[in-house]
Structures are given as structure tokens and as C-alpha cells.
Amino acid sequence: MRALVIGASGQVGGCLLEALRARGHEAIGTHAHHPLEGLGHLDVTDPATVERAVREARPDWVLCPAGLTHVDYCEEHPAEAFAINRDGALAAARAASRVGAGFVFFSTEYVFDGTGGPYAEDDAARPLSFYGRSKWEGERAVLGEMPRAVVVRTTVVYGPDRQEKNFVYQLIRNCRSGQGMRIPADQVSSPTYNVDLAQATVELCERNLGGVYHLAGDGVMDRFEFARIACEVFGLDASRLTPVTTAELGQKASRPLKAGLGIAKAKGVLKTPLKSPEAGLRAMREVLEGRG
Ligand SMILES: NC(=O)c1ccc[n+]([C@@H]2O[C@H](COP(=O)([O-])OP(=O)(O)OC[C@H]3O[C@@H](n4cnc5c(N)ncnc54)[C@H](OP(=O)(O)O)[C@@H]3O)[C@@H](O)[C@H]2O)c1
């Protein structure tokens, strides 16, 4: 198949390009504010340009990990969050629909309020933040626009990444420099290995599966426990990690606390395994050490 990845300069988009090409598909990608060799520029808030780019790409699938992902920034800039995460995604879905392509929208466990996780795909959404709301409204808009729409919800994505900005890279840097790190011990989630997320998404496209899927790691744990396991796997000194409550961090946007994504639906349908956090961290270490 031929795929267009909008937002290929980001963590998930980069993995999607790799997974698509590794599985023998043709894939091209775009960036917005961070130019990268081999990627064309595309801003999803410009519908006419989106329409033209999708038409010229002649894709069978448009995958759209593009988004305004900084949760606290979104809280202070809601108009920007809705323009990119909802309206931009909808413009891209419309353009995909016009050329007969399928469309994958990337969403988040932040559509839930974190009082009763782990959540299944059809559990009631109640986002606590503008980021979560912009994604929830994006989901509704995209699913209402076209029959060949897929919504992939994920969370706490980590793994090898050119940008080196995900949580595990931050943890490694802080531990190796002897700097402390305050980590919330009351945010429960399902840390997700980025390579698995990308491969599982490509499998959904290959098999023409539509609807909402939770693609997340196989295990629900709080962030401090995840950090502790990462320290074990990477041989880091965890003694300078301090467990704190989310409230102590004083973040602008509220976080869902008892969250996590149930993956029974994906496990029942997909051949691609979704690793446990420990297995994903081991796989990441192998890649960083050049053995993966
Ligand atoms: N990472 C996670 O833990 C996580 C958790 C839950 C859900 N998700 C969802 O998964 C998706 C991918 O996440 P990620 O970690 O890959 O995010 P990321 O690393 O922040 O990448 C975001 C991508 O969106 C692009 N982008 C930003 N504004 C754009 C615009 N106006 N038009 C077109 N592209 C634009 C960025 O391009 P430039 O960098 O070139 O500007 C970048 O390629 C997001 O939609 C996010 O909400 C991620």
C-alpha cells in the first residue's frame, strides 16, 4: 500500500514511517515546524494545502499522528489545540475520504477522567483538559466524516526516538547526570513501546480494520513504578528519584489519575504483540546499544 504520514517528524510518526517501509509499503511523510530531510512541509490548519498534499500523494491510507501534544500548553492555548487536534485532523480526514483513502487518527487516554481505569474502547469519555477534549472532539469528527476511519488511542509512548525527548530518555539523562527527578506515583497508565504501536497500527491498515482501538502496553502501573523498572533495565541508580503526587507538581492541566488502556480488543484481533513495560524497556535498551 501507499501511505502518507502527517506528522512524521514526531516520535510516533517517525516509527510509523519505519514500520511501513519495513513491511514493504511505500510511505512518505510530513513535518510542520521541525524540518527533517526527506519530509515535506504540511500544516494541518491550512485545509487547502492539506487537500492538495493528500491528492498529490495518492495514498491508500493517511496516518495522522500530527498534533499539539504538550498538555499544559494546550490548557493555556485551547483555540490552538482545537485548531490542530480537531479541525486539522478533520481537514486531513476529509481530504483522505475524497481520494478514497482510509484515515488513522491518534488519540489518547486523556479522553477519560481517570476515575475508573483501565478503560475499554467503548467506556464513556469525560476529558479533564483541553488537550483531552480537543482529541475527543477530533475522534468524533473523524469517525463521523468517513467509514474508513480508525481511531488509535495510546498513552505514555516511549522507545527509541530521534528526538530523545520521551519519558525514558529524560529519566536516563537525569539519573546519569546525578540530577534528581520528581515522578508522580499516583498516575496510573499503560506505558506503550513506540515500535509496537507503529507496527500494530500498520497491521490495522493492512487488514482494513476500522473503528476505535486501544494500542498500548500490556500492563497498568503508576509512573513511579515504570521509572523504577526502567532504572532496573538500564542499570540506573534510582535513589535520586522522588515519588510525588500529581497535585504537588502544580501542572496547568488536570491529569486522569486512575487511567490505563485495556487492550483486550487489540489482543483478540491483531497478530502484532503489544509488549509489557518491562519487555518494551528491554527492547529499547537493545536498540540503544545497537543490538536491536
Ligand atoms: N507520545 C505520547 O505519549 C502520546 C500519548 C497519547 C497520545 N499521543 C498522540 O499520538 C500522536 C503522536 O504523538 P507523538 O509523541 O509522536 O507527538 P510529537 O512527537 O509531539 O509529534 C507531533 C507531530 O505533529 C506535528 N505537528 C504539530 N503541529 C502540526 C500542524 N499544525 N500541522 C501538521 N503537523 C503538526 C509535529 O511536527 P513538527 O515537530 O515538525 O512541528 C510532529 O511531527 C499525537 O497526536 C498525540 O496526541 C501520544
Side-chain angles (χ1 to χ4, degrees):
M1 71 188 177
R2 229 177 116 74
L4 169 64
V5 179
I6 302 178
S9 49
Q11 175 181 202
V12 174
C15 292
L16 286 169
L17 271 190
E18 266 186 39
L20 284 158
R21 289 170 182 161
R23 290 164 84 108
H25 304 298
E26 262 184 90
I28 55 173
T30 70
H31 69 85
H33 309 101
H34 300 99
L36 200 60
E37 209 185 321
L39 303 183
H41 176 262
L42 184 63
D43 186 334
V44 290
T45 62
D46 176 356
T49 310
V50 171
E51 170 96 38
R52 192 167 55 245
V54 171
R55 203 175 339 106
E56 284 171 1
R58 292 178 289 105
D60 303 300
W61 279 91
V62 175
L63 297 90
C64 188
L68 194 60
T69 58
H70 194 302
V71 177
D72 294 314
Y73 179 90
C74 288
E75 204 61 16
E76 295 197 298
H77 303 85
E80 213 180 314
F82 285 103
I84 296 172
N85 294 342
R86 179 192 59 200
D87 305 341
L90 177 60
R94 279 199 179 124
S97 181
R98 284 197 190 107
V99 299
F103 186 81
V104 184
F105 176 69
F106 285 83
S107 187
T108 166
E109 77 177 336
Y110 282 27
V111 301
F112 298 114
D113 65 8
T115 57
Y119 292 98
E121 281 79 354
D122 53 3
D123 281 341
R126 198 178 79 84
L128 301 177
S129 62
F130 284 123
Y131 169 74
R133 247 178 70 188
S134 66
K135 285 286 181 180
W136 170 240
E137 291 186 18
E139 289 188 12
R140 300 291 95 202
V142 165
L143 289 168
E145 181 63 26
M146 59 194 294
R148 283 186 72 204
V150 184
V151 168
V152 169
R153 293 196 192 120
T154 190
T155 180
V156 190
V157 181
Y158 68 93
D161 176 27
R162 179 191 51 82
Q163 303 176 99
E164 301 191 355
K165 73 170 191 190
N166 65 52
F167 175 74
V168 176
Y169 282 103
Q170 292 173 35
L171 182 79
I172 293 172
R173 274 194 296 272
N174 285 347
C175 288
R176 289 199 177 141
S177 68
Q179 218 182 306
M181 196 167 172
R182 298 163 79 221
I183 300 174
D186 59 352
Q187 273 182 44
V188 172
S189 193
S190 327
T192 305
Y193 188 51
N194 57 19
V195 177
D196 293 351
L197 168 62
Q199 289 179 351
T201 302
V202 175
E203 188 187 343
L204 287 175
C205 299
E206 289 169 343
R207 295 174 52 194
N208 242 322
L209 296 167
V212 182
Y213 283 86
H214 288 177
L215 298 183
D218 195 359
V220 173
M221 62 184 57
D222 71 65
R223 190 69 68 92
F224 192 79
E225 172 67 359
F226 180 54
R228 198 193 55 71
I229 297 173
C231 285
E232 252 173 49
V233 168
F234 283 90
L236 304 167
D237 175 10
S239 64
R240 296 187 67 106
L241 303 182
T242 312
V244 295
T245 62
T246 298
E248 282 175 82
L249 294 175
Q251 292 156 318
K252 296 273 178 225
S254 300
R255 267 51 178 186
L257 296 184
K258 191 169 176 283
L261 295 173
I263 55 170
K265 181 179 175 186
K267 281 212 286 196
V269 170
L270 296 179
K271 296 187 188 80
T272 309
L274 294 163
K275 288 184 199 54
S276 68
E278 184 170 352
L281 287 162
R282 290 194 188 288
M284 178 177 180
R285 180 175 169 179
E286 286 192 7
V287 174
L288 298 195
E289 292 177 352
R291 292 181 284 121

